[in-house]
Amino acid sequence: MVEGQGPYGAIDDGAVLIRDGDIAFAGPRADLPDHEAAQTDQMGGRWVTPGLIDCHTHLVFGGNRSGEFEQRLGGATYEQIAQAGGGIVSTVAATRAASEDDLYASALRRLAGLKASGVTTVEIKSGYGLDRDTELRMLRVARRIGHEAGVRVRTSYLGLHAVPPEHRADRVTYVDLAVDDILPAAHAEGLVDAVDAYCEPIAFSTAEVARLFDRAAALGLPVKLHADQLSDGGGAALAGRYRALSADHVEHTTEAGVRAMAEAGVAAVLLPGAYLMLRETTVPPVELFRTHGVRMAVATDCNPGTSPVASMTAALNLACVQFRLTPEEALAGATRNAAQALGLSDRIGTIEAGKRADLAVWDIQRPAELAYWLGAPLLHARYLRGQPS
């Protein structure tokens, strides 16, 4: 599957030549250049796609929130649970209590589901520490996963995720800490690829997020944003103003916000798992994104509270069923558009010469099956930089 070659970018009887972990050739097998192959892997007529990219996860955390799941089934809203001391803050307590090894081990269990669904690149956020030591610990675990667990990792600092309990009466002090202390420390340690924030009335204002984004810009870091998930708080417009990599959730984004994203080249990251678990009813403005040329990525939002989803193919299915994406749009959302949402379009996301040889091989008859089956084991093999992983 190569971008720009018809539906799904498909090439029948194709070949991929890999050299030193990068793609040296991709196209019809008849056009394969002369070469000496140290190894040849026959795919037996299977479909080969770029390795899937999960561009929005909270993979590293302590504990779980199955009790809150029961509360929501009983009628409690996300906002009510958060205001009562649950939600993100409850995961903060469990994460602070966990060691680095504990966080690593639990993250690997969730990562196994993503890898089994064809994921070769995963974004991992902090945001469940909300103090210097734990935020840095989470980011170190994310880096360790990238070094040891057979997957490419991009990290995002999400210090403005929630106000921790010890600062509830003095949120200004916490914003100062997150912006002026924790972020510079994480950056100095080489732990941050991008900076994220949660922009909602129950979280942080556009003014508070702008302070964080200004500091990120001073450090030379790109930004992304949890935007307009529960209400139209101007998050998409803010993402456009800062030329963010992506605005994520975006269920309540207006046409003005969509235009701002389009003008700034901001990707929309759709998170159907959270939409399902929260039983939301307002879908993202998919038709507006199509009209204005905003690229739509799809991700699991794997997290303990609102999207305990650890399968990328499940996310593709939900994006089609709930948001009416086509299967082709969904697959693009987990490959080339997800690469854009991470600022990695020059390295991954399509099968073409010069890019990393991150590939997924599937036991399917047609690519729509990747969004059709819900829970079926479809993956035959994963390749990371040309090596089975």
Side-chain angles (χ1 to χ4, degrees):
M1 298 180 66
V2 182
E3 187 173 18
Q5 301 292 323
Y8 291 96
I11 293 178
D12 292 332
D13 193 23
V16 179
L17 179 63
I18 299 170
R19 183 180 296 119
D20 297 326
D22 292 343
I23 298 170
F25 167 85
R29 186 169 57 168
D31 296 339
L32 189 67
D34 292 337
H35 63 281
E36 292 185 7
Q39 176 179 333
T40 300
D41 294 349
Q42 299 290 343
M43 296 297 104
R46 295 179 176 90
W47 281 85
V48 180
T49 71
L52 302 190
I53 302 166
D54 195 348
C55 64
H56 182 128
T57 85
H58 305 254
L59 198 68
V60 175
F61 58 83
N64 69 71
R65 279 154 48 195
S66 56
E68 292 179 15
F69 172 62
E70 292 181 304
Q71 286 179 271
R72 287 201 303 274
L73 292 176
T77 67
Y78 181 78
E79 292 92 335
Q80 288 170 338
I81 292 170
Q83 290 166 0
I88 293 168
V89 172
S90 67
T91 298
V92 169
T95 304
R96 288 178 176 180
S99 70
E100 183 172 318
D101 285 343
D102 289 340
L103 292 173
Y104 181 75
S106 66
L108 287 190
R109 290 193 292 271
R110 295 181 283 274
L111 180 65
L114 298 181
K115 291 171 66 176
S117 61
V119 169
T120 54
T121 296
V122 60
E123 183 257 16
I124 303 176
K125 304 179 191 296
S126 68
Y128 290 129
L130 307 183
D131 61 25
R132 179 176 173 142
D133 288 347
T134 316
E135 287 290 300
L136 295 182
R137 184 158 71 248
M138 291 183 70
L139 290 167
R140 289 187 196 110
V141 169
R143 281 280 189 251
R144 181 179 170 188
I145 290 169
H147 293 147
E148 300 177 4
V151 70
R152 189 183 307 281
V153 168
R154 298 292 282 182
T155 60
S156 295
Y157 168 68
L158 183 57
L160 294 191
H161 196 197
V163 178
E166 65 270 23
H167 289 289
R168 191 167 294 155
D170 185 17
R171 64 184 291 124
V172 173
T173 299
Y174 177 68
V175 173
D176 289 344
L177 177 71
V179 173
D180 299 327
D181 180 12
I182 304 176
L183 173 56
H187 177 258
E189 202 171 318
L191 298 175
V192 184
D193 296 318
V195 174
D196 198 350
Y198 185 23
C199 186
E200 281 288 345
I202 65 168
F204 294 92
S205 69
T206 55
E208 290 166 330
V209 173
R211 274 202 59 204
L212 176 68
F213 283 5
D214 286 340
R215 175 52 66 96
L219 295 172
L221 293 169
V223 299
K224 50 206 291 108
L225 187 64
H226 288 60
D228 305 337
Q229 178 186 11
L230 305 174
S231 62
D232 176 21
L238 183 68
R241 177 176 141 202
Y242 281 90
R243 296 194 171 275
L245 293 173
S246 68
D248 302 26
H249 289 289
V250 293
E251 283 93 331
H252 291 268
T253 296
T254 63
E255 184 163 10
V258 172
R259 288 181 181 275
M261 292 172 63
E263 290 170 4
V266 179
V269 177
L270 308 183
L271 303 171
Y275 182 92
L276 173 73
M277 295 299 294
L278 292 175
R279 296 191 290 187
E280 293 289 347
T281 57
T282 301
V283 300
V286 168
E287 197 55 48
L288 287 175
F289 291 141
R290 290 171 177 146
T291 298
H292 293 286
V294 173
R295 287 200 171 191
M296 293 180 286
V298 177
T300 65
D301 192 16
C302 180
N303 77 71
T306 62
S307 189
V309 177
S311 167
M312 196 64 212
T313 51
L316 299 186
N317 174 279
L318 293 174
C320 293
V321 172
Q322 297 184 134
F323 300 158
R324 299 296 189 266
L325 265 63
T326 68
E328 185 173 0
E329 286 176 322
L331 182 55
T335 52
R336 65 172 181 263
N337 294 350
Q340 179 189 342
L342 294 181
L344 295 176
S345 293
D346 61 331
R347 280 169 271 182
I348 58 174
T350 57
I351 302 176
E352 56 185 309
K355 293 196 175 180
R356 307 295 183 262
D358 294 356
L359 307 171
V361 184
W362 305 95
D363 286 316
I364 56 176
Q365 298 300 310
R366 56 198 307 265
E369 291 183 59
L370 296 177
Y372 166 70
W373 293 106
L374 187 56
L378 305 176
L379 186 70
H380 174 75
R382 293 168 66 254
Y383 290 81
L384 185 69
R385 291 299 301 263
Q387 297 298 317
S389 62

